Amino acid sequence: MSKTRNKLVICIDNTGYHAALERRKIYECLPDSEAAKRKTLRIIDESGEDYLYPESMFVPASLPEAVRRAILKTA
């Protein structure tokens, strides 16, 4: 059984969520198959809690594994 890894995404649009999301910032995206069916992502936002946001507001962050681990370790 493979371990599901949290993804890192970059916010490209924070319209309507200015207090919760910052454009150009990297966020942790938690696995959520039900959210994916509704074209949303479960994001740990500026409050430190996870909420659903439209997937169109984010793009995947392709980072070297060492950088990815460092970001997730500080999250």
Side-chain angles (χ1 to χ4, degrees):
M1 181 171 153
S2 68
K3 180 181 173 188
T4 303
R5 293 172 23 151
N6 294 356
K7 296 188 308 183
L8 294 175
V9 294
I10 301 170
C11 178
I12 57 169
D13 178 13
N14 66 346
T15 303
Y17 301 99
H18 298 284
L21 298 171
E22 293 181 34
R23 285 181 58 236
R24 299 181 300 277
K25 184 171 179 179
I26 297 172
Y27 288 94
E28 185 175 359
C29 177
L30 304 176
D32 187 330
S33 59
E34 289 302 311
K37 291 176 188 176
R38 296 188 308 261
K39 298 202 180 290
T40 58
L41 298 175
R42 185 165 298 281
I43 301 293
I44 299 176
D45 67 13
E46 294 303 310
S47 72
E49 299 293 325
D50 60 279
Y51 294 98
L52 296 177
Y53 294 99
E55 65 181 19
S56 61
M57 298 176 76
F58 302 90
V59 294
S62 297
L63 301 168
E65 188 59 28
V67 174
R68 183 186 177 292
R69 280 195 311 269
I71 290 171
L72 289 173
K73 186 175 184 177
T74 61

